[in-house]
Amino acid sequence: MAAPEDPLSVALFSEMFMADHLARNRLSRALPKGMELSHFSVLNHLASATEEKTPAQLARVFHVTRGAMTNTLNRLEWAGYIHVRPDWDDARRKMVSISPAGRRAREAALSAIAPILSDTVREIGADRVRAALPVIREMRLRLENEG
């Protein structure tokens, strides 16, 4: 077990928290008007999904409460970016899928943030980023499994 004031751990997580904060701030400003990072994240997930998802499944994927996911889904549905329908097998559940307008909104958002992401990787160097990914992925998986 690490000492309470392990400088390496503190430095690593301090850098990760600051990088997360700065990335979210920069990407949020670049997104199309009215779209939040949480909206883009859900649309991006649904765009690559092979089947509809329940709100509970989405809440688990994004590690948020069902209430928080319901709020995000309500905003996306209001904007016409997703379709929400009853589950025909279990009327208590709902099923969520991305709409054509949602796909267009996702593409517009991706076009807005892609240059920021690409520039950052280019400036750091693709080889260095590739080398860091396995470590970052393992950290995420460990934190996910501990939660």
Side-chain angles (χ1 to χ4, degrees):
M1 182 167 202
E5 293 184 31
D6 177 5
L8 179 61
S9 299
V10 171
L12 173 65
F13 280 89
S14 293
E15 288 296 334
M16 288 177 44
F17 295 150
M18 186 52 73
D20 175 68
H21 174 75
L22 294 169
R24 287 176 175 277
N25 190 316
R26 187 134 180 239
L27 296 177
S28 291
R29 285 186 312 211
L31 287 172
K33 186 170 174 62
M35 184 177 287
E36 296 177 23
L37 204 48
S38 60
H39 301 165
F40 170 74
S41 297
V42 170
L43 291 176
N44 197 46
H45 180 77
L46 291 173
S48 63
T50 56
E51 55 189 31
E52 296 171 301
K53 302 288 183 185
T54 66
Q57 287 172 321
L58 291 168
R60 275 193 304 277
V61 165
F62 290 100
H63 302 279
V64 297
T65 65
R66 288 183 185 200
M69 183 53 65
T70 297
N71 183 42
T72 298
L73 294 176
N74 285 341
R75 290 171 185 235
L76 289 171
E77 185 178 30
W78 181 85
Y81 294 160
I82 61 170
H83 297 298
V84 179
R85 68 164 182 84
D87 182 342
W88 308 126
D89 298 324
D90 182 352
R92 295 169 296 176
R93 290 193 322 184
K94 294 180 180 180
M95 303 304 290
V96 180
S97 61
I98 192 168
S99 70
R103 287 190 186 280
R104 289 189 299 275
R106 176 201 174 258
E107 290 303 319
L110 202 51
S111 293
I113 66 173
I116 296 168
L117 303 175
S118 297
D119 289 350
T120 303
V121 170
R122 190 183 69 253
E123 289 169 10
I124 293 170
D127 289 340
R128 291 177 66 204
V129 171
R130 245 183 243 99
L133 273 177
V135 174
I136 296 168
R137 186 174 292 118
E138 185 174 345
M139 290 177 65
R140 176 186 52 84
L141 291 171
R142 285 178 183 266
L143 291 168
E144 230 170 31
N145 293 332
E146 291 174 9

